[in-house]
Amino acid sequence: MELALIGLGKMGMNMAKRLIQNGHRVVGYARTKETVDNAVKDGIEGAYSLEEAVGKLTSSPKVVWVMVPAGKTTTETIEKIASLLNKGDIIIDGGNSNYKDTIKHAEMLEAKGVDFVDCGTSGGIWGLAEGYSMMIGGKKEVTDKLTPIFETLAPGKDKGWGRVGPHGAGHYVKMVHNGIEYGMMQAYAEGFGILKGKTEFGLDLAQVSHIWQYGSVVRSWLLDLAANALDEDTELKDIKPWVADSGEGRWTVFESVDLDVPAPVITLALQMRFASRDEENYPARMLAALRNQFGGHAIKKAE
């Protein structure tokens, strides 16, 4: 099959490479000429405008896969692409869009006669070698047309991907997937922090991580990645303790509130990311001030 891939970040590039390696034709577009030029060197057929990217597609229906930042950028990109397509052509949103926006996009495209698929995509920079996990939303008759693409990008033809429901369902499942990821990552981080704190045992954290990789109930791909990081630098001394969030963890927490479903682990994991970014840490200063006020406890002065 052939498709136009809009957005050539690391993940988009690796997806394009995996498709090309397996016989698919990929036309790639990015906002900067340099990015497109580099993509061409990697075997991707370059396009320097959305018009050119869509115009280079020869099959019917035309398939355009969008991999751009969620929010306004995705909406504007989808609207522009839709104006270039014909009835029955397909747009796939493979980014991390909010599922509520996805439903709106589907409604807008349906009015234009353009088919739409939302594909929550997980795999990051490892997807080129390992394959991508894809959670797909949309009409079955449309997603079925895209089976060769999904089978190629997935870890196996029948593994790691599937249509999970109607429009919005793919991004919804990916949102919760990322919320779970937050909780798992936080648990590993806290566990290794406790191990490091037991200084009298002189624990080798890299060794422990490798022991846990086999036979342990906590073994996982995240643990494998933790082992990689510890092999490189057990102290993690070159890494600033500042953790971003993509937005999907927040959306998962909001959804738990809307549905009255308790999610304390995911919620706290999100809050810990906020805490990591608070260099001023005013709440902690207030706590110290209050202890001093009511109990006369000593205060450590800021340097």
Side-chain angles (χ1 to χ4, degrees):
M1 290 185 68
E2 67 170 11
L3 59 80
L5 200 151
I6 311 304
L8 297 173
K10 289 182 179 179
M11 192 166 182
M13 279 292 299
N14 283 345
M15 291 174 66
K17 290 177 183 178
R18 189 174 175 93
L19 288 165
I20 292 169
Q21 288 172 2
N22 288 276
H24 298 275
R25 176 177 175 243
V26 178
V27 178
Y29 164 75
R31 288 180 295 177
T32 65
K33 181 180 183 300
E34 181 182 6
T35 300
V36 178
D37 289 342
N38 289 333
V40 171
K41 294 176 183 177
D42 286 323
I44 298 169
E45 190 171 338
Y48 295 88
S49 68
L50 289 175
E51 290 84 354
E52 183 182 3
V54 173
K56 283 189 171 183
L57 297 177
T58 59
S59 62
S60 182
K62 292 183 176 181
V63 178
V64 181
W65 189 306
V66 178
M67 289 291 288
V68 300
K72 183 179 179 182
T73 301
T74 292
T75 298
E76 291 178 347
T77 302
I78 288 176
E79 289 175 345
K80 177 64 175 179
I81 293 170
S83 71
L84 303 171
L85 296 177
N86 297 314
K87 185 176 180 179
D89 290 337
I90 304 170
I91 295 177
I92 306 167
D93 179 4
N96 287 332
S97 293
N98 187 301
Y99 80 96
K100 296 178 181 178
D101 291 339
T102 296
I103 293 172
K104 293 177 182 177
H105 295 155
E107 292 171 348
M108 179 269 290
L109 292 172
E110 186 169 13
K112 296 177 180 292
V114 176
D115 288 320
F116 182 63
V117 170
D118 52 290
C119 181
T121 311
S122 179
I125 61 175
W126 295 86
L128 176 59
E130 303 291 336
Y132 297 90
S133 173
M134 292 169 290
M135 299 136 266
I136 302 160
K139 297 177 181 177
K140 187 176 185 303
E141 61 268 26
V142 177
T143 60
D144 283 350
K145 296 176 184 177
L146 303 169
T147 294
I149 294 173
F150 296 138
E151 287 181 341
T152 298
L153 290 173
K157 284 192 173 183
D158 58 350
K159 296 179 180 178
W161 74 278
R163 176 185 175 273
V164 296
H167 295 126
H171 283 152
Y172 189 86
V173 173
K174 176 58 161 53
M175 174 190 74
V176 177
H177 163 283
N178 280 28
I180 293 170
E181 178 185 288
Y182 278 40
M184 293 174 67
M185 291 172 69
Q186 185 65 31
Y188 280 124
E190 292 176 7
F192 280 105
I194 294 169
L195 292 175
K196 189 175 187 304
K198 197 66 173 176
T199 55
E200 61 264 40
F201 283 167
L203 298 171
D204 182 336
L205 302 192
Q207 178 197 25
V208 172
S209 69
H210 288 297
I211 291 172
W212 286 353
Q213 284 180 294
Y214 302 95
S216 166
V217 295
V218 300
R219 65 186 184 274
S220 73
W221 185 48
L222 282 175
L223 178 62
D224 294 341
L225 298 178
N228 289 346
L230 291 168
D231 283 341
E232 293 173 5
D233 177 12
T234 303
E235 296 298 318
L236 306 178
K237 56 182 177 296
D238 293 329
I239 299 176
K240 184 177 181 179
W242 192 101
V243 188
D245 69 285
S246 64
E248 292 192 297
R250 299 186 188 210
W251 301 340
T252 304
V253 172
F254 297 159
E255 198 68 17
S256 76
V257 174
D258 289 344
L259 296 174
D260 294 331
V261 176
V265 172
I266 295 174
T267 301
L268 185 55
L270 174 65
Q271 294 293 329
M272 290 304 294
R273 294 195 178 197
F274 297 159
S276 78
R277 307 198 292 264
D278 184 8
E279 295 182 3
E280 174 68 17
N281 205 344
Y282 186 83
R285 294 171 190 264
M286 177 57 75
L287 283 174
L290 287 171
R291 291 186 77 246
N292 176 259
Q293 289 290 325
F294 73 71
H297 300 287
I299 294 176
K300 290 186 177 181
K301 296 295 184 179
E303 296 180 0

